[in-house]
Amino acid sequence: MASKNATLTMHDHTLELPIYEATLGPPVVDVSGLSKHDIFTIDPGFMSTAACESKITYIDGDKGVLLYRGYPIDQLADQCDFMEVAYLLLFGELPNTDQKAEFDTNIKHHTLVHEQIYNFFNGFLRGIHPMSILMSAVAALGGFYHDSLDISKPEHRLNSAYRMIAKIPTLAAMCYKYSRGEPYVYPRNELSYSENFLHMLFGTPAEDSDVNPVLARAMDKIFTLHADHEQNASTSAVRVAGSTGANPFACISAGVSALWGPAHGGANEACLKMLEQIGDESRISEYLAKAKDKNDPFRLMGFGHRVYKNYDPRAKVMQATCHEVLNEVGAGDTPLFKLAMKLEKIALEDEYFIERKLYPNVDFYSGITLNAMGIPSTMFTVIFALARTTGWLSHWLEMLSDPSHKIARPRQLYTGATERDVVGLAERG
Ligand code: SDX
């Protein structure tokens, strides 16, 4: 409900624009009525624009706060498993024991993929980036699961969401196995969501796999930390695709595509490569100089954020999880981790980064952690997409359950040619 109005005076109009208060965070001015007066706003990158109302995730960038349905991310990562967090994001409350058991069962009974999808993978070159395969395989699911694609039906929407959450680890592991020419490993229903993923990733049909519980717990936390992040670029891509009525698998594929960019979900892979490129503490100042040089496209990967102008709360949990994994695999504090800690310390004391409020984000330590688990850097964004699928679906369900939602169709500021007549080819100079 509007609490009070903002006044806009433009041309010969004085317009009263409703201001809506948030339960947390800044209020917003509703500009949707401006088009009736042929007045439009422009905001490239949506730096000052709320695209929707949502109840799922709240970020306070200045305080470094991240809440899923009101619960702080560090508490969820420490006290819940990913299935509890997925239930929370989808339905708004943490599950009780019975609700969790039912949700676990619903997910576990959708983990297999249609056998013909295995043939689908064979069309790809072995060495291509697994994100290419994942975005294609996710979109292809829409061609295999016809019985729940009527998005006007809540039960269809929920069934498709269960299928997508259940199958994304299977497809992600298949991408890894295919890239290595190794046999696929089927999911096992007695394993947890995270154990199952590691089983399909590192297991072999030739023997029962023995998933390390410390690594499974670390992967579970990684899923929780990456599960949602309000209206980020890839979530916005899913909402835009969903607003056209596209099927859920096509919408999630749009999210996978948008996430791949190095400025977004591709940063974890880019961050590890950057650390390997820096190589030694003695070269940190050289790379910090490059990061500050406006003529150099190099950015300090894993640093900075559109919203966080403080420490990304996920980075703190990620750093602790990184320590646990390194100790478990006997890597101790590898040179890469020590280099990351040194780079973080130096950057946080550097005026350029302080002035611009650039802090480590979730990607800064996730790459080192996954690397220590034996996962190649090309799979880092695949794992990010696996986790974010639950967040994307939560937003997709939230949008479609609002009967007033409209197709996303932004306007523009046109500065091109005014109308003119075509000149025949022979007459053109
Ligand atoms: C994710 O949106 C989300 O929520 C995303 C995410 C999620 O969970 O969905 O949190 C996941 O994408 C995390 C971010 C991962 N990306 C990286 O780590 C790549 C490195 N970071 C930068 O590319 C950058 O910080 C962005 C893209 C993340 C944010 O860019 P903005 O908000 O558009 O900020 P900006 O580019 O306008 O930066 C402001 C200033 C600029 O300098 P000035 O023009 O003011 O002199 O800070 C500088 C930038 O040049 N800057 C950096 C920098 N990040 C910003 N300079 C060097 N290194 C960096 N990393």
Side-chain angles (χ1 to χ4, degrees), residues 134-149 151 156-157 159-165 167 171 246-256 393 396:
L134 187 69
M135 71 171 72
S136 311
V138 166
L141 291 178
F144 288 88
Y145 299 100
H146 297 291
D147 66 338
S148 294
L149 291 183
I151 58 164
H156 278 211
R157 299 201 295 261
N159 201 23
S160 291
Y162 285 159
R163 279 179 166 147
M164 192 68 258
I165 292 171
K167 296 178 194 309
L171 293 177
N247 82 60
F249 305 105
C251 296
I252 298 304
S253 180
V256 176
L393 287 163
W396 178 75

Side-chain angles (χ1 to χ4, degrees), residues 47 59 225-226 228-235 259 261-268 270-271 288 290-292 294 298-309 312 314 352-353 355-356 358 361-364 384 388:
M47 302 281 281
I59 298 170
L225 294 175
H226 290 79
D228 193 54
H229 215 235
E230 58 150 84
Q231 307 309 321
N232 58 84
S234 53
T235 299
L259 186 75
H264 187 15
N268 47 22
C271 184
L288 286 185
K290 281 170 62 67
K292 299 184 224 177
K294 291 301 163 213
F298 176 78
R299 283 279 193 282
L300 204 60
M301 302 318 279
F303 256 77
H305 198 276
R306 168 59 58 75
V307 177
Y308 288 124
K309 302 309 171 190
D312 179 339
R314 301 169 296 179
Y352 174 93
F353 290 87
E355 191 184 310
R356 291 166 180 78
L358 304 177
N361 57 50
V362 67
D363 296 298
F364 191 67
F384 195 151
R388 188 53 58 88

Side-chain angles (χ1 to χ4, degrees), residues 389-415:
T389 291
T390 297
W392 289 331
L393 287 163
S394 304
H395 286 272
W396 178 75
L397 289 170
E398 180 179 67
M399 177 181 68
L400 293 182
S401 61
D402 172 3
S404 67
H405 83 273
K406 296 184 183 327
I407 187 170
R409 204 290 184 207
R411 304 301 298 268
Q412 63 173 10
L413 171 67
Y414 177 71
T415 55

